[in-house]
Amino acid sequence: MRSPVAWWNDPWRPPRFLVGITIGYLAWSLLPVAIAVLYSFNNGRSRTTWQGFSLRWYWGDATLSVWHNDALHTALIQTLKLGVVTTLITVPLGVLFAIGIDRWRGRLPAGANFLMLLSFVLPEVLLAVALLFVITTIALPIDLGTTAQVIGLITFQVSYPAVLVRARLATIGPQYEEAAMDLGASPLGALRRIILPMLMPAIFASTVLVFADVIDDFVLVRYLSGDAATEPVSVKIYNTARGAPTPALNALATLLLLAALTAVVIGFLVYRYLTRGDTTTKDRGIGAFAGEV
Amino acid sequence: MAVPVIAAPSQTAAPRRERASGLWPALAAPGIVWLLLCFVFPLYVVLCIVFGQVDPLFRTPIPVWNPVQWDPSQFNYVLTHIVGADGIFGPALVRTAVFVFAASSLCLLIAFPVAYYVARLSGRRKGLLLALLIAPFWISYMMRMFAWVNLLQNDGIVNKVLSFGGLFTMHVDWLTGQPVVVILGLVYGYVPYMILPLYAGLDRLSQPMLEASRDLGADRFSSFWRVTLPLCRPTILAAVLLTCLPMLGDYFTSDMLSASPKTAMVGNLINDSVHAPGRTGQAGAFVMLVFLVALLPMLYYIRATSRRDEVAS
């Protein structure tokens, strides 16, 4: 048995305390969700007492299951619709914006960059209320509902691809583009044939991240939803969580979780394929994918 | 022969850059227009409604577009009801400050050791651990709160565990206005947003610097205190800001885990008044208050990230 002093002075002793905190944290952060997923397979109405395994709340139950209940599957479809439409508009908008801002020097692009970063850190509820005011007090051809939700989500998410693409542009540097232009390419040609292919991993990662973020969004989509038909899953959970819901709500949340995780896992695998042999993202793995830059 | 070869690129490159100058504004234009229309203009509309009029009949807000004609009475109403005899809004504002402070301190207390371990000491398990740390990001906030609603119900698992399977009778009403539950809910909800930036910062920390401090005779604590901490102070600040700012506008955590005015935060004040007839201006005033409070931290964060970009490029 070593003396405590020797143990304390040993620089190679395993960091037990930190391991303990990390494992404890992971259990605390993931177990409640795992339990909620588990109870979506419960055979009874309870969300707290296990009564056997069944798929009753997914499609077995003829009126209350996700498959058969209109309100629940409308919510799921609305969520996925918002995710796809928002992503398709946000990513090109953000990527072009980032390239333009990065190359264009002056006060105007600096101000635009400031606005973009401000929209990144502004508490979401402020933007949501502001957009709600715009739509309810000004006679616009836009009503509360899917269009308003998409507009709000694009505004809130556009900084995501912009930040990721700018970070990638900074690591690429100007030399490839200059080489292409010295060899006779026009600025647009160099952009299209050199820079865009090199940006592909960042663009792809931001596509996946925006999609996963949008389908989890709550604040904006709730304020800008029109009627019950445009309420996505997160709003449905918020509205019914405290009013004795059935495990069908767990099932709905589980399906949402599944959609987000599938998108992210597929995204990560494709991202790894796109960045194979790339030294700047090597060894960074999932961290580089998640955009910690 | 050698001289023109060297001189040629700079001579031809310059006019090319000139020609390109129209391209970059054209690429940025849609994004700039979008931000002006859907980000700046709505914030201006909030001002016009806060300093605007209320329809006497329908109690709907009438925005006043001209700043010269702005009427501060709605904003004054909110300001005068924060402190003093009719301070109906004061408690919620104080509570917001206390909740956000407590929750972000707890977040830091949890996030720093976890991020430190995963970034610097986890070795081969790093990829797996990082994936697990990122996982909560892709789980809807509402789902994570709902998971706790399940656990904390009167017949939920927490009460069952606390009563050791019926040994004691433990029936704590966790979900009816317990401030501790709301603070823990905030910590649970926002701690992933703190861990990731901390991880990124600690991962970049210069290993030779730390080894040098040990070589020069610093012990474990002073090496941590005098090298590690100062090196990651900007990271810690940025991580704290990234969790505090969204917490300032949070109302749904309190709604989900307590649903009681005893734990209402400023976000709840906004959420309760935004659809109430005649009180829309109040909601706008609270939006402005939160914006003003958040402005300095936001500016600091933007300056810090822009400076880092300049160093990187």
Side-chain angles (χ1 to χ4, degrees):
Chain A
M1 191 64 198
R2 286 186 308 165
S3 75
V5 177
W7 173 83
W8 176 255
N9 287 330
D10 175 14
W12 305 113
R13 72 187 149 90
R16 293 235 166 73
F17 175 68
L18 291 176
V19 174
I21 287 198
T22 306
I23 292 176
Y25 165 72
L26 286 175
W28 176 65
S29 78
L30 298 174
L31 270 184
V33 175
I35 292 172
V37 169
L38 181 71
Y39 276 99
S40 75
F41 297 106
N42 198 2
N43 196 21
R45 284 185 75 95
S46 170
R47 290 175 294 122
T48 49
T49 313
W50 184 247
Q51 289 150 298
F53 177 89
S54 87
L55 292 173
R56 174 181 171 191
W57 303 109
Y58 287 87
W59 57 75
D61 198 295
T63 50
L64 298 170
S65 63
V66 177
W67 184 256
H68 290 103
N69 189 310
D70 272 345
L72 295 183
H73 73 238
T74 316
L76 196 59
I77 290 169
Q78 177 71 7
T79 298
L80 296 177
K81 188 163 83 180
L82 288 177
V84 171
V85 175
T86 308
T87 310
L88 285 180
I89 304 173
T90 306
V91 172
L93 196 69
V95 170
L96 292 182
F97 178 75
I99 298 174
I101 290 294
D102 199 68
R103 298 297 154 82
W104 180 16
R105 304 276 167 202
R107 282 187 182 280
L108 194 63
N113 188 41
F114 172 79
L115 276 185
M116 186 265 291
L117 287 171
L118 189 66
S119 76
F120 186 64
V121 286
L122 190 79
E124 197 181 355
V125 69
L126 305 189
L127 179 65
V129 171
L131 282 169
L132 177 72
F133 282 178
V134 169
I135 288 170
T136 49
T137 58
I138 301 173
L140 287 176
I142 306 162
D143 284 327
L144 290 177
T146 310
T147 318
Q149 287 169 327
V150 167
I151 290 175
L153 288 170
I154 293 172
T155 314
F156 194 57
Q157 296 284 341
V158 77
S159 52
Y160 222 139
V163 167
L164 285 185
V165 165
R166 285 207 67 186
R168 180 81 182 135
L169 279 173
T171 56
I172 291 174
Q175 62 270 28
Y176 296 100
E177 204 178 357
E178 280 168 5
M181 292 205 279
D182 287 346
L183 293 171
S186 66
L188 194 64
L191 180 70
R192 193 169 57 85
R193 295 176 60 175
I194 308 294
I195 298 300
L196 272 186
M198 293 186 81
L199 285 178
M200 232 33 214
I203 295 174
F204 183 77
S206 54
T207 307
V208 174
L209 300 183
V210 167
F211 177 78
D213 229 32
V214 166
I215 63 175
D216 289 344
D217 189 86
F218 166 73
V219 178
L220 271 165
V221 290
R222 172 159 176 264
Y223 276 129
L224 301 176
S225 67
D227 47 6
T230 54
E231 283 180 352
V233 174
S234 54
V235 181
K236 213 53 109 188
I237 298 176
Y238 171 82
N239 286 344
T240 38
R242 295 300 302 274
T246 63
L249 194 63
N250 293 43
L252 186 68
T254 304
L255 290 174
L256 180 69
L257 175 73
L258 210 62
L261 288 188
T262 312
V264 172
V265 168
I266 292 177
F268 176 60
L269 293 179
V270 177
Y271 178 81
R272 219 167 50 174
Y273 176 76
L274 286 176
T275 54
R276 69 198 184 284
D278 184 337
T279 47
T280 53
T281 50
K282 207 179 163 197
D283 298 331
R284 307 266 312 283
I286 194 163
F289 171 67
E292 48 99 352
V293 282
Chain B
M1 282 302 282
V3 176
V5 173
I6 295 169
S10 63
Q11 274 173 1
T12 51
R16 263 187 207 149
R17 299 279 145 71
E18 290 298 309
R19 255 192 295 139
S21 64
L23 177 64
W24 311 128
L27 289 181
I32 294 177
V33 171
W34 186 281
L35 281 178
L36 287 178
L37 277 183
C38 300
F39 184 65
V40 179
F41 175 64
L43 293 178
Y44 179 69
V45 171
V46 172
L47 284 178
C48 296
I49 284 179
V50 174
F51 296 115
Q53 305 291 330
V54 178
D55 188 303
L57 200 59
F58 297 105
R59 312 291 293 156
T60 51
I62 306 171
V64 173
W65 302 110
N66 186 352
V68 180
Q69 299 166 356
W70 278 356
D71 168 16
S73 60
Q74 291 195 85
F75 194 62
N76 282 342
Y77 174 83
V78 168
L79 282 187
T80 50
H81 284 71
I82 289 176
V83 282
D86 359 294
I88 43 174
F89 303 131
L93 297 184
V94 173
R95 203 177 290 126
T96 308
V98 173
F99 281 13
V100 169
F101 178 77
S104 42
S105 313
L106 272 174
C107 276
L108 191 60
L109 226 56
I110 296 169
F112 195 84
V114 173
Y116 189 89
Y117 174 72
V118 175
R120 307 200 57 79
L121 303 168
S122 58
R124 275 180 301 132
R125 288 172 299 239
K126 195 172 182 174
L128 174 70
L129 285 176
L130 189 55
L132 291 176
L133 286 188
I134 293 175
F137 263 96
W138 315 125
I139 305 172
S140 162
Y141 194 94
M142 281 303 127
M143 162 138 200
R144 299 198 291 139
M145 288 302 127
F146 178 53
W148 277 103
V149 172
N150 290 340
L151 296 181
L152 293 172
Q153 284 177 99
N154 284 344
D155 61 343
I157 290 177
V158 170
N159 271 343
K160 280 181 192 162
V161 168
L162 283 180
S163 60
F164 288 101
L167 215 60
F168 308 102
T169 41
M170 274 295 280
H171 281 297
V172 184
D173 282 341
W174 296 106
L175 295 173
T176 48
Q178 306 269 8
V180 179
V181 172
V182 176
I183 291 175
L184 285 179
L186 287 172
V187 174
Y188 184 79
Y190 289 98
V191 83
Y193 299 90
M194 193 180 264
I195 288 186
L196 207 56
L198 279 180
Y199 166 84
L202 286 166
D203 200 35
R204 274 199 302 263
L205 212 62
S206 140
Q207 183 69 33
M209 194 95 89
L210 296 180
E211 281 167 13
S213 83
R214 297 302 298 273
D215 286 350
L216 292 171
D219 64 10
R220 227 184 290 261
F221 275 118
S222 52
S223 150
F224 179 79
W225 192 251
R226 295 174 63 178
V227 181
T228 310
L229 265 191
L231 277 179
C232 45
R233 187 172 298 138
T235 316
I236 293 176
L237 255 175
V240 170
L241 288 184
L242 273 183
T243 37
C244 279
L245 289 173
M247 262 190 226
L248 277 178
D250 188 295
Y251 66 90
F252 30 92
T253 308
S254 173
D255 272 1
M256 288 285 273
L257 296 180
S258 115
S260 152
K262 278 189 286 180
T263 58
M265 296 168 69
V266 66
N268 297 83
L269 294 183
I270 297 177
N271 185 44
D272 294 341
S273 52
V274 76
H275 286 298
R279 290 177 59 200
T280 316
Q282 280 178 34
F286 287 123
V287 164
M288 264 184 64
L289 271 185
V290 175
F291 185 84
L292 289 177
V293 169
L295 191 62
L296 266 184
M298 289 193 293
L299 291 180
Y300 170 83
Y301 180 82
I302 292 173
R303 215 181 56 140
T305 42
S306 314
R307 188 180 289 165
R308 205 186 56 200
D309 285 352
E310 273 164 30
V311 173
S313 62

